[in-house]
Amino acid sequence: MNVIVYAIPVFVALMAAEFGIGVALGRNVYRLNDAVGSLTAGILSQLSGVFMLALSVGVYVFVYNHFSLFSLQADDWRVWVGGLIAYDFFYYWNHRIDHEVGLFWAAHVVHHQSEAFNLSTALRQPSSGVLLGWIFYLPMAIAGVPPVVFVAAGLIDLLYQFWIHTELVGKLGWFDRVFASPSNHRVHHGLNDQYLDKNYGGILIVWDRLFGTYEDEVEKPVYGVRGGLRTFDPVSANLSYYATMAKLAWAADDWRDKVRVWFAPPGWVPANLRTPGPQAPYDLKAIRRYDPPAGPAAAVVVLAALVGMIGATAAFLVAGPNLPLMNGLGVFLSLAASLWAMGSLLDGRISIAETLYVLAAALTCSAYALGWTGVEAVAKPAAMALLILSFAMRNGPADVKRLVTAALVASLAGDALLISPSLFLPGLVAFLIAHGFYIAAFSRGVGFWPSQTAVVAIAAFAALIVAVIWPGVDAGLRAPVAIYVAVVAAMAAQAVGRATVLRDRATVAVGIGGVLFMLSDMTIALFKFGHLGWAADQWTLPTYYLAQGLIAFCVLPRGRQGRETIG
């Protein structure tokens, strides 16, 4: 059993207590949107951790089994005490490098993005930190520290740090001089010049005193990251600095700078991108807290979704390791999409109805992966009904809106029909009609199939899929299947051709949606007729819902779409 599962109710109770005490003292340190941003990042970290366990612990066990110099015993209390101290020592260096090297900061930055400082901030953990973090603890494996001691020490170090993320506990005298404490850790999260890159210790602050990185709390810290994140979406939070480094590497003129970006300190820029002359000092007074307005309806939706996600995360932590890999990935991606939707709703980037669509689609995908046929039968039509509702509330060209609405309605009919295996052909016809409406909608303003390259490339791919599945298709189904493949390929080619003509982000998103719709249908064909022996069906619903969402969300103009329905 994952210990975090047991810790979840404790975390929730302590956060509720901190909120209540803060309100009673007139020092409320919580904002709903910021806390949700932290908690959803933490949930995503735990979900991804199910797949990272083999890396984080597996490498340690391998090195311990093959390269350990000593044979330390797990039943010796001195090994446990020494193991915990050693872990905390290497954690200090791991944490310090996280702040000093861009590639490591790209993962760790997630923990610092909150503009508040409370117990929910402690749970704001990165999803990619384990990719490189395991390197720092290999000396423990070589020294012969048993894996069970290593895992337990890491858990103790992590859980200890929960309580030091609070503004409601002041200075603690001698304790602050020896241990990491709320005062010490507030400094670590501060943007103030004198606080940057200070107080890395996990349990012991003596490491900072020994290696010159200690700073006492004097003035009130300002929290967050310089430049700000400006989103509550945990997926964007985890990708933000990787994207920044990729853009810098692309824009760098010198190939050495293209490499140096990834290993230089955070904030470093290539020579050709630097502003000449002395840089102005960072102005804390110029910081504007990211706090877009959200109405009570959005708050209710997000809070209800958060409760559901906490329960789903606990269940996944228990059951996820035992699921087949493709099924587990399907559930993980569905939950990640739900977290994205919650943050995007708080950002005002999508509407309440669009958020509910993503949540219903995620539930459908998870239900399929888990074999919950009853849940799938209810959630599947509900998802498309919500997408139709959200699209009906949008503004845009009337002809495009009518055609896409008709395509969505036909898709809903196809979803309902395909629930029953005996209605496969009528379901196929419904989706043929949907694709026809999409072709007509995507032709507005650009004509039919404006890119011959797209037509040829997609036709070649479709022909390859047909060649693979053809031997397994019954004679009576060959004509309908061939017609269907031709129509869905034509739809994808039309969407891509439109993107090549208009060349803006929205039309590119719609083009990707068209291709994903074709891929979704191809997974059905491969599963039903290809007999390839791999779980192609696990990708049918995720690609389908992503395709429909990209098309419906992006085919009409949008700004801060959520403003119309958040209230």
Side-chain angles (χ1 to χ4, degrees), residues 10 28 43 83 114-115 135 138 260 275 351 358 485 501:
V10 178
N28 179 27
I43 289 172
S114 173
E115 295 177 333
I135 297 171
L138 293 185
R260 195 174 294 126
T275 303
S351 68
V358 176
V485 170
V501 171

Side-chain angles (χ1 to χ4, degrees), residues 41-42 104 108 165 191 202-203 216 221 225 243 255 290 298 336 347 359 370 417 424 432 446 448 494 545 549 554:
F104 288 84
H108 184 66
H165 290 80
L191 287 176
I203 295 177
D216 193 26
V225 291
W255 69 266
Y290 181 64
D347 288 336
L359 296 175
L370 296 170
L417 292 168
F424 177 75
L432 276 174
V446 296
F448 288 102
Q494 180 65 47
Y545 285 122
C554 300

Side-chain angles (χ1 to χ4, degrees), residues 268-287:
W268 182 89
V269 296
N272 62 295
L273 301 178
R274 294 174 196 162
T275 303
Q279 300 299 306
Y282 190 75
D283 185 4
L284 292 176
K285 295 180 181 179
I287 295 176

